[in-house]
Amino acid sequence: MDEIQKELLIQVADLHEVPQGAYNLRVNGQGAGRNTTEHIDIVTKTDKPGIDIIVKPGTKNESIHIPVVLSQSGLTELVYNDFFIGEDSDVTIVAGCGIHNGGSDKSEHDGIHSFFIGKNAKVKYVEKHYGSGDGSGERILNPQTIIHIDEGGYMEMDTVQIKGVDSTIRTTQATLEDKATLVIKEKIMTHGKQYAKTDFEVNLNGEDCGANVISRSVAKEDSHQIFLSKINGNNKCYGHTECDAILMDRGSVSAIPEITANHLEASLIHEAAIGKIAGEEITKLMTLGLTEAEAEAQIVNGFLK
Amino acid sequence: MDEIQKELLIQVADLHEVPQGAYNLRVNGQGAGRNTTEHIDIVTKTDKPGIDIIVKPGTKNESIHIPVVLSQSGLTELVYNDFFIGEDSDVTIVAGCGIHNGGSDKSEHDGIHSFFIGKNAKVKYVEKHYGSGDGSGERILNPQTIIHIDEGGYMEMDTVQIKGVDSTIRTTQATLEDKATLVIKEKIMTHGKQYAKTDFEVNLNGEDCGANVISRSVAKEDSHQIFLSKINGNNKCYGHTECDAILMDRGSVSAIPEITANHLEASLIHEAAIGKIAGEEITKLMTLGLTEAEAEAQIVNGFLK
């Protein structure tokens, strides 16, 4: 790997070297390394591009890294990754994508990730998106995540897109069975003329299942963001969705949540707030010696922490 | 007026006799009485059904009642009422519609109300909808309200639909200029197989304008409600929308707010909560001697107060 590719890997997966445990590294549309373990298999799909990640029942405290790096301008790819998480397992999955586009052609990575989370299994899923390069070509990432959580299963999904992605449409659909839990934490910062759309749909089908969807975003310069979040309560369940957005410059944000209770024992809550940083917060930090720009940066960093 | 018509009038306008001040009474599609005052004119439209209500600038502490009563089964009407509220005036407008349908045909009243609220004028607008009668014919009310509030103007709109309306689609569109304020308080209770849809759109165009949209609803039995509320912040402004819904029996509710900030100094907040009455609230009232049904009724009444 060259220096650009190594930097992308640091940004999207915090990887400074080859990771511990199972991993699959994809660079410019090609496999660039793979490791499997006694409990975790990674198998190349034969019918379409992508891999199957198979975690055996009872696997505990193992991690799977599947970062994707694109540094060749003009490359467009669509990849299908399926995750089969065995019963009673407890694993962390890190899947990020970094695009460096130094050319004039569009670079695009679209990943369709399907999760089949077994009974009482626990998954922490981290997804980071990052773009760099000063070429005029666009950097586009459209991740699609399809989640099915079986009885008693738990998934936490942390997605971060901090920088450099020109256009992203992020679609997540989840279905929860009895006692299943889904926690989604999304952080997005857009700048320039970037466009980011997030579209969550969570179907709370099981008894005593619950979902908590939290989005924090910052829209700088002329960027535009749309946040859609749909929670359907179809059983005795709990659902909460929250969207907080900070506006800067000429940024604009739409928040369109949708909560539907189809069951008497469904309890659903939504909250959203959009606004600029309060003047007094900036003043307070400036009295401590920060410039206005430093104060703003510190508040934004704290907000997205 | 007969006894049924009098009862409808009590329900929609709290009127036990002819009101004080300006009024226009419409019964079964016909004018049934009108009074104008020195400061308030009511003029029948010549191009379409409906009236113009003209409030002279500076009119203070006067009221206008324009109730509509339908007791003839099978009647369908569409009425246009325009309100021209002069600068610096301060008036209360009561506009309700009661339908008694004892027959098998559909009875429908659709009102399109347009408000032109002058500079620094203040309007309290109360609209009650009520249905009665044990005929199999549907009772349908589709009110449409279009509001324009000029600089410094203020409008409070209280709408109530408590009982007996089989189907309603309630559309409200508002545009606010500098320093204008709009407060909307909606209360809806549905039962049986009723359907109620509410659709607010508020455009905060003026500097320092603000809107507060609050909806409280109860969905009983097999009824279904949809709450849409769209607030667009196009200037330095403040917007808040809130939807609280109580579910009972097999009732279902969708809340779909949409807040869009198109200006750095737009501050927008949304909150929604849907759920059934907490068990402990009912238990508490039952220890005070109420039956479960009485406890529920008391909580619902308090919620819709």
Side-chain angles (χ1 to χ4, degrees), chain A residues 247-249 252-276, chain B residues 247-249 252-276:
Chain A
L247 296 175
M248 296 175 79
D249 312 310
S252 62
V253 174
S254 285
I256 314 170
E258 181 170 343
I259 52 178
T260 298
N262 296 315
H263 190 279
L264 177 64
E265 309 251 7
S267 174
L268 305 177
I269 292 175
H270 169 70
E271 300 165 88
I274 306 175
K276 64 165 191 165
Chain B
L247 296 175
M248 295 175 79
D249 311 310
S252 63
V253 173
S254 284
I256 313 170
E258 180 169 344
I259 53 178
T260 298
N262 295 315
H263 190 280
L264 177 64
E265 310 250 8
S267 174
L268 305 177
I269 292 176
H270 170 69
E271 302 164 89
I274 306 175
K276 64 165 191 167

Side-chain angles (χ1 to χ4, degrees), chain B residues 162-220:
Chain B
I162 295 297
K163 222 181 150 183
V165 179
D166 290 305
S167 171
T168 183
I169 297 175
R170 309 152 69 83
T171 310
T172 304
Q173 285 171 296
T175 309
L176 275 66
E177 302 299 336
D178 291 357
K179 296 194 172 70
T181 304
L182 175 65
V183 176
I184 298 177
K185 295 177 188 168
E186 177 189 69
K187 289 169 196 168
I188 297 185
M189 185 156 77
T190 52
H191 52 97
K193 292 184 186 305
Q194 294 176 356
Y195 170 73
K197 178 175 170 182
T198 289
D199 190 348
F200 293 112
E201 178 170 348
V202 181
N203 293 297
L204 299 171
N205 293 349
E207 195 174 306
D208 292 318
C209 69
N212 194 6
V213 178
I214 298 167
S215 169
R216 293 198 152 199
S217 71
V218 177
K220 286 185 179 180

Side-chain angles (χ1 to χ4, degrees), chain B residues 17-36:
Chain B
E17 51 197 76
V18 165
Q20 297 284 313
Y23 70 87
N24 187 78
L25 175 59
R26 185 179 174 94
V27 177
N28 288 332
Q30 305 291 329
R34 175 177 300 177
N35 188 48
T36 61

Side-chain angles (χ1 to χ4, degrees), chain A residues 54-112:
Chain A
I54 302 147
V55 175
K56 288 188 186 150
T59 304
K60 300 273 185 194
N61 301 319
E62 290 204 37
S63 66
I64 303 124
H65 285 79
I66 53 161
V68 171
V69 164
L70 255 71
S71 59
Q72 179 189 329
S73 184
L75 202 71
T76 291
E77 59 174 359
L78 171 62
V79 174
Y80 296 82
N81 296 336
D82 292 345
F83 302 79
F84 301 92
I85 313 296
E87 293 183 20
D88 297 307
S89 52
D90 184 349
V91 293
T92 297
I93 301 167
V94 180
C97 180
I99 298 181
H100 178 91
N101 194 344
S104 58
D105 295 328
K106 179 182 83 168
S107 293
E108 178 169 345
H109 174 80
D110 298 338
I112 300 179

